[in-house]
Amino acid sequence: MFGKLFTKKKKELKEVDKNYVFDKAKYHFDSINEAELNEEQAYVHTGLFFAWIIKNDLYSEFLLEESKDEVEQTKSEKISPSKLYMNWDGVFIGELLNKVGFNFTMDYFEFDKGKYVNDYEETLSSDNDPDIFRVKNNWENYHKLAKVIDNRFKKWNKKN
């Protein structure tokens, strides 16, 4: 009897806002140019997260319809982790995510209140070079970061 009264109700997931912009690589071009880095580096921090979205099936049907081959190549690690994000012009928006992916991304990735950038810096920046834009776009870095994101997702999933 009391169990029903005190059972914590899971939060209702928000519908996907297809136009919500999480990030655009072009927002980071000035930082990349100031650091005299290759423009590709503007795509890496979001591209690694986006690769995690793909490998965890948190993308939308729309994305799959539009980029089926690249989704499969990302899953099998035949292209760089950030390649699919680059091919979407470095625009990470809601329409690329399914409902769970959108809600997790809103909580975790969102720059103002999320923990992704801190996790990214702690996991992939070195003491010698803390600049997050110097992180290499490779699967080794993806796998280091994916462990952290996996843990964050498990915790998020339990509370939602």
Short mmCIF file of all heavy atoms in Angstrom, two decimals, residues 57-93:
data_model
loop_
_atom_site.label_atom_id
_atom_site.label_comp_id
_atom_site.label_asym_id
_atom_site.label_seq_id
_atom_site.Cartn_x
_atom_site.Cartn_y
_atom_site.Cartn_z
N ASP A 57 22.31 4.62 -30.83
CA ASP A 57 20.99 4.62 -31.48
C ASP A 57 20.05 5.68 -30.91
O ASP A 57 18.85 5.44 -30.75
CB ASP A 57 20.34 3.24 -31.39
CG ASP A 57 21.14 2.18 -32.12
OD1 ASP A 57 21.72 2.50 -33.19
OD2 ASP A 57 21.21 1.03 -31.63
N LEU A 58 20.57 6.86 -30.65
CA LEU A 58 19.77 7.96 -30.10
C LEU A 58 19.48 9.03 -31.16
O LEU A 58 19.11 10.15 -30.84
CB LEU A 58 20.47 8.56 -28.88
CG LEU A 58 20.64 7.60 -27.71
CD1 LEU A 58 21.46 8.23 -26.60
CD2 LEU A 58 19.28 7.13 -27.17
N TYR A 59 19.64 8.67 -32.41
CA TYR A 59 19.41 9.57 -33.53
C TYR A 59 17.99 9.38 -34.07
O TYR A 59 17.33 8.38 -33.80
CB TYR A 59 20.44 9.34 -34.64
CG TYR A 59 20.56 7.90 -35.05
CD1 TYR A 59 19.73 7.37 -36.03
CD2 TYR A 59 21.49 7.06 -34.45
CE1 TYR A 59 19.82 6.03 -36.40
CE2 TYR A 59 21.59 5.73 -34.82
CZ TYR A 59 20.75 5.23 -35.78
OH TYR A 59 20.84 3.91 -36.14
N SER A 60 17.57 10.34 -34.87
CA SER A 60 16.21 10.31 -35.43
C SER A 60 16.12 9.46 -36.68
O SER A 60 17.13 9.18 -37.35
CB SER A 60 15.78 11.75 -35.77
OG SER A 60 16.59 12.26 -36.83
N GLU A 61 14.90 9.10 -37.01
CA GLU A 61 14.63 8.40 -38.27
C GLU A 61 15.03 9.29 -39.45
O GLU A 61 15.53 8.80 -40.45
CB GLU A 61 13.14 8.02 -38.37
CG GLU A 61 12.75 6.86 -37.48
CD GLU A 61 13.42 5.56 -37.91
OE1 GLU A 61 13.49 5.28 -39.13
OE2 GLU A 61 13.88 4.83 -37.02
N PHE A 62 14.80 10.58 -39.31
CA PHE A 62 15.16 11.54 -40.35
C PHE A 62 16.65 11.45 -40.67
O PHE A 62 17.04 11.38 -41.84
CB PHE A 62 14.78 12.96 -39.91
CG PHE A 62 15.34 14.04 -40.78
CD1 PHE A 62 14.84 14.27 -42.05
CD2 PHE A 62 16.41 14.82 -40.34
CE1 PHE A 62 15.37 15.27 -42.87
CE2 PHE A 62 16.94 15.82 -41.15
CZ PHE A 62 16.42 16.04 -42.42
N LEU A 63 17.48 11.45 -39.65
CA LEU A 63 18.93 11.35 -39.86
C LEU A 63 19.27 10.04 -40.56
O LEU A 63 20.05 10.02 -41.51
CB LEU A 63 19.70 11.47 -38.54
CG LEU A 63 21.21 11.28 -38.68
CD1 LEU A 63 21.85 12.40 -39.50
CD2 LEU A 63 21.86 11.20 -37.30
N LEU A 64 18.67 8.96 -40.12
CA LEU A 64 18.93 7.65 -40.73
C LEU A 64 18.52 7.66 -42.20
O LEU A 64 19.26 7.16 -43.05
CB LEU A 64 18.20 6.54 -39.98
CG LEU A 64 18.49 5.13 -40.46
CD1 LEU A 64 19.98 4.79 -40.35
CD2 LEU A 64 17.66 4.12 -39.66
N GLU A 65 17.37 8.23 -42.51
CA GLU A 65 16.91 8.30 -43.91
C GLU A 65 17.87 9.11 -44.78
O GLU A 65 18.14 8.75 -45.92
CB GLU A 65 15.51 8.93 -43.98
CG GLU A 65 14.42 8.05 -43.44
CD GLU A 65 13.11 8.80 -43.24
OE1 GLU A 65 12.98 9.95 -43.72
OE2 GLU A 65 12.20 8.22 -42.60
N GLU A 66 18.38 10.20 -44.22
CA GLU A 66 19.24 11.11 -44.98
C GLU A 66 20.70 10.65 -45.07
O GLU A 66 21.40 11.00 -46.02
CB GLU A 66 19.20 12.51 -44.37
CG GLU A 66 17.84 13.18 -44.43
CD GLU A 66 17.39 13.47 -45.84
OE1 GLU A 66 18.21 13.95 -46.65
OE2 GLU A 66 16.19 13.21 -46.15
N SER A 67 21.17 9.90 -44.07
CA SER A 67 22.60 9.58 -43.99
C SER A 67 22.85 8.14 -43.57
O SER A 67 23.76 7.86 -42.79
CB SER A 67 23.27 10.53 -42.98
OG SER A 67 23.15 11.85 -43.38
N LYS A 68 22.07 7.22 -44.10
CA LYS A 68 22.16 5.81 -43.69
C LYS A 68 23.58 5.26 -43.80
O LYS A 68 24.08 4.63 -42.86
CB LYS A 68 21.20 4.97 -44.51
CG LYS A 68 21.13 3.52 -44.07
CD LYS A 68 20.09 2.77 -44.86
CE LYS A 68 20.00 1.31 -44.60
NZ LYS A 68 19.86 0.82 -43.29
N ASP A 69 24.25 5.47 -44.91
CA ASP A 69 25.59 4.92 -45.09
C ASP A 69 26.58 5.49 -44.06
O ASP A 69 27.37 4.75 -43.49
CB ASP A 69 26.12 5.19 -46.50
CG ASP A 69 25.39 4.36 -47.56
OD1 ASP A 69 24.73 3.36 -47.20
OD2 ASP A 69 25.48 4.72 -48.74
N GLU A 70 26.50 6.79 -43.84
CA GLU A 70 27.42 7.42 -42.88
C GLU A 70 27.12 7.01 -41.44
O GLU A 70 28.02 6.90 -40.62
CB GLU A 70 27.39 8.94 -43.01
CG GLU A 70 28.04 9.39 -44.30
CD GLU A 70 27.77 10.85 -44.57
OE1 GLU A 70 26.59 11.24 -44.63
OE2 GLU A 70 28.76 11.59 -44.70
N VAL A 71 25.85 6.77 -41.14
CA VAL A 71 25.49 6.26 -39.81
C VAL A 71 26.16 4.90 -39.62
O VAL A 71 26.79 4.65 -38.59
CB VAL A 71 23.95 6.19 -39.62
CG1 VAL A 71 23.58 5.33 -38.42
CG2 VAL A 71 23.36 7.59 -39.50
N GLU A 72 26.04 4.04 -40.61
CA GLU A 72 26.65 2.71 -40.52
C GLU A 72 28.18 2.80 -40.46
O GLU A 72 28.82 2.06 -39.72
CB GLU A 72 26.21 1.83 -41.70
CG GLU A 72 24.74 1.45 -41.64
CD GLU A 72 24.31 0.82 -40.32
OE1 GLU A 72 25.04 -0.03 -39.78
OE2 GLU A 72 23.24 1.21 -39.81
N GLN A 73 28.76 3.70 -41.24
CA GLN A 73 30.22 3.88 -41.21
C GLN A 73 30.69 4.41 -39.87
O GLN A 73 31.77 4.03 -39.40
CB GLN A 73 30.66 4.82 -42.33
CG GLN A 73 30.52 4.21 -43.71
CD GLN A 73 30.80 5.22 -44.81
OE1 GLN A 73 30.69 6.43 -44.63
NE2 GLN A 73 31.16 4.70 -45.98
N THR A 74 29.90 5.26 -39.25
CA THR A 74 30.24 5.75 -37.91
C THR A 74 30.16 4.61 -36.91
O THR A 74 31.07 4.42 -36.10
CB THR A 74 29.30 6.91 -37.48
OG1 THR A 74 29.43 7.98 -38.42
CG2 THR A 74 29.64 7.41 -36.09
N LYS A 75 29.09 3.85 -36.96
CA LYS A 75 28.92 2.73 -36.03
C LYS A 75 30.07 1.73 -36.15
O LYS A 75 30.52 1.17 -35.15
CB LYS A 75 27.59 2.02 -36.27
CG LYS A 75 26.42 2.79 -35.75
CD LYS A 75 25.14 2.00 -35.96
CE LYS A 75 23.99 2.71 -35.31
NZ LYS A 75 22.79 1.87 -35.22
N SER A 76 30.54 1.49 -37.36
CA SER A 76 31.61 0.51 -37.56
C SER A 76 33.00 1.16 -37.55
O SER A 76 33.99 0.50 -37.82
CB SER A 76 31.39 -0.25 -38.87
OG SER A 76 31.43 0.65 -39.96
N GLU A 77 33.04 2.46 -37.24
CA GLU A 77 34.29 3.21 -37.11
C GLU A 77 35.12 3.21 -38.39
O GLU A 77 36.35 3.19 -38.36
CB GLU A 77 35.09 2.72 -35.90
CG GLU A 77 34.32 2.85 -34.61
CD GLU A 77 35.06 2.43 -33.36
OE1 GLU A 77 36.28 2.15 -33.42
OE2 GLU A 77 34.41 2.37 -32.30
N LYS A 78 34.44 3.29 -39.52
CA LYS A 78 35.12 3.33 -40.81
C LYS A 78 35.41 4.76 -41.28
O LYS A 78 36.15 4.95 -42.24
CB LYS A 78 34.31 2.57 -41.86
CG LYS A 78 34.31 1.09 -41.60
CD LYS A 78 33.64 0.31 -42.69
CE LYS A 78 33.82 -1.17 -42.40
NZ LYS A 78 32.81 -1.98 -42.97
N ILE A 79 34.78 5.73 -40.62
CA ILE A 79 35.08 7.14 -40.87
C ILE A 79 35.45 7.76 -39.53
O ILE A 79 35.22 7.15 -38.49
CB ILE A 79 33.88 7.89 -41.53
CG1 ILE A 79 32.62 7.80 -40.67
CG2 ILE A 79 33.64 7.37 -42.94
CD1 ILE A 79 31.43 8.60 -41.22
N SER A 80 36.01 8.95 -39.56
CA SER A 80 36.41 9.58 -38.29
C SER A 80 35.16 9.87 -37.45
O SER A 80 34.06 10.01 -37.98
CB SER A 80 37.18 10.87 -38.57
OG SER A 80 36.30 11.88 -39.01
N PRO A 81 35.33 9.95 -36.13
CA PRO A 81 34.17 10.17 -35.26
C PRO A 81 33.37 11.43 -35.61
O PRO A 81 32.14 11.43 -35.49
CB PRO A 81 34.78 10.30 -33.86
CG PRO A 81 36.12 9.68 -33.94
CD PRO A 81 36.57 9.81 -35.36
N SER A 82 34.02 12.47 -36.07
CA SER A 82 33.34 13.73 -36.33
C SER A 82 32.86 13.89 -37.77
O SER A 82 32.23 14.89 -38.12
CB SER A 82 34.26 14.90 -35.99
OG SER A 82 34.57 14.88 -34.62
N LYS A 83 33.14 12.93 -38.62
CA LYS A 83 32.84 13.05 -40.05
C LYS A 83 31.36 13.28 -40.34
O LYS A 83 31.00 14.15 -41.14
CB LYS A 83 33.35 11.82 -40.80
CG LYS A 83 33.18 11.88 -42.29
CD LYS A 83 34.08 12.92 -42.90
CE LYS A 83 34.03 12.87 -44.41
NZ LYS A 83 34.68 14.02 -45.01
N LEU A 84 30.49 12.53 -39.71
CA LEU A 84 29.06 12.69 -39.96
C LEU A 84 28.59 14.08 -39.54
O LEU A 84 27.85 14.74 -40.27
CB LEU A 84 28.25 11.62 -39.23
CG LEU A 84 26.74 11.64 -39.40
CD1 LEU A 84 26.32 11.61 -40.85
CD2 LEU A 84 26.11 10.48 -38.65
N TYR A 85 29.06 14.55 -38.40
CA TYR A 85 28.74 15.92 -37.95
C TYR A 85 29.26 16.95 -38.95
O TYR A 85 28.56 17.91 -39.28
CB TYR A 85 29.32 16.14 -36.55
CG TYR A 85 29.16 17.53 -36.00
CD1 TYR A 85 27.90 18.09 -35.81
CD2 TYR A 85 30.27 18.28 -35.64
CE1 TYR A 85 27.75 19.37 -35.29
CE2 TYR A 85 30.13 19.55 -35.10
CZ TYR A 85 28.87 20.09 -34.93
OH TYR A 85 28.73 21.35 -34.41
N MET A 86 30.44 16.74 -39.46
CA MET A 86 31.00 17.65 -40.48
C MET A 86 30.12 17.66 -41.72
O MET A 86 29.87 18.72 -42.30
CB MET A 86 32.41 17.21 -40.88
CG MET A 86 33.46 17.48 -39.88
SD MET A 86 35.04 16.88 -40.53
CE MET A 86 35.93 16.65 -39.02
N ASN A 87 29.65 16.49 -42.11
CA ASN A 87 28.84 16.38 -43.32
C ASN A 87 27.45 16.99 -43.16
O ASN A 87 26.76 17.21 -44.15
CB ASN A 87 28.74 14.94 -43.79
CG ASN A 87 30.06 14.44 -44.34
OD1 ASN A 87 30.98 15.22 -44.59
ND2 ASN A 87 30.18 13.14 -44.52
N TRP A 88 27.05 17.26 -41.92
CA TRP A 88 25.82 17.99 -41.65
C TRP A 88 26.16 19.47 -41.41
O TRP A 88 25.46 20.18 -40.69
CB TRP A 88 25.06 17.40 -40.46
CG TRP A 88 24.24 16.22 -40.90
CD1 TRP A 88 24.66 14.94 -41.06
CD2 TRP A 88 22.87 16.24 -41.29
NE1 TRP A 88 23.63 14.16 -41.52
CE2 TRP A 88 22.52 14.93 -41.67
CE3 TRP A 88 21.90 17.24 -41.35
CZ2 TRP A 88 21.24 14.60 -42.10
CZ3 TRP A 88 20.63 16.90 -41.78
CH2 TRP A 88 20.31 15.59 -42.15
N ASP A 89 27.24 19.92 -42.02
CA ASP A 89 27.72 21.30 -41.95
C ASP A 89 28.01 21.76 -40.53
O ASP A 89 27.96 22.95 -40.23
CB ASP A 89 26.74 22.28 -42.62
CG ASP A 89 26.62 22.04 -44.11
OD1 ASP A 89 27.64 21.65 -44.72
OD2 ASP A 89 25.52 22.23 -44.64
N GLY A 90 28.31 20.80 -39.65
CA GLY A 90 28.64 21.17 -38.28
C GLY A 90 27.48 21.82 -37.56
O GLY A 90 27.68 22.71 -36.73
N VAL A 91 26.28 21.36 -37.85
CA VAL A 91 25.09 21.89 -37.19
C VAL A 91 24.43 20.74 -36.42
O VAL A 91 24.00 19.75 -37.01
CB VAL A 91 24.09 22.49 -38.20
CG1 VAL A 91 22.83 22.98 -37.49
CG2 VAL A 91 24.74 23.63 -38.98
N PHE A 92 24.40 20.87 -35.11
CA PHE A 92 23.82 19.86 -34.23
C PHE A 92 22.49 20.40 -33.72
O PHE A 92 22.45 21.26 -32.86
CB PHE A 92 24.80 19.56 -33.10
CG PHE A 92 24.38 18.45 -32.17
CD1 PHE A 92 23.60 17.40 -32.59
CD2 PHE A 92 24.81 18.46 -30.85
CE1 PHE A 92 23.24 16.37 -31.74
CE2 PHE A 92 24.47 17.44 -29.97
CZ PHE A 92 23.67 16.40 -30.42
N ILE A 93 21.40 19.88 -34.30
CA ILE A 93 20.06 20.37 -33.96
C ILE A 93 19.15 19.21 -33.57
O ILE A 93 19.44 18.04 -33.84
CB ILE A 93 19.43 21.16 -35.13
CG1 ILE A 93 19.33 20.32 -36.40
CG2 ILE A 93 20.19 22.44 -35.39
CD1 ILE A 93 18.60 21.00 -37.53
#
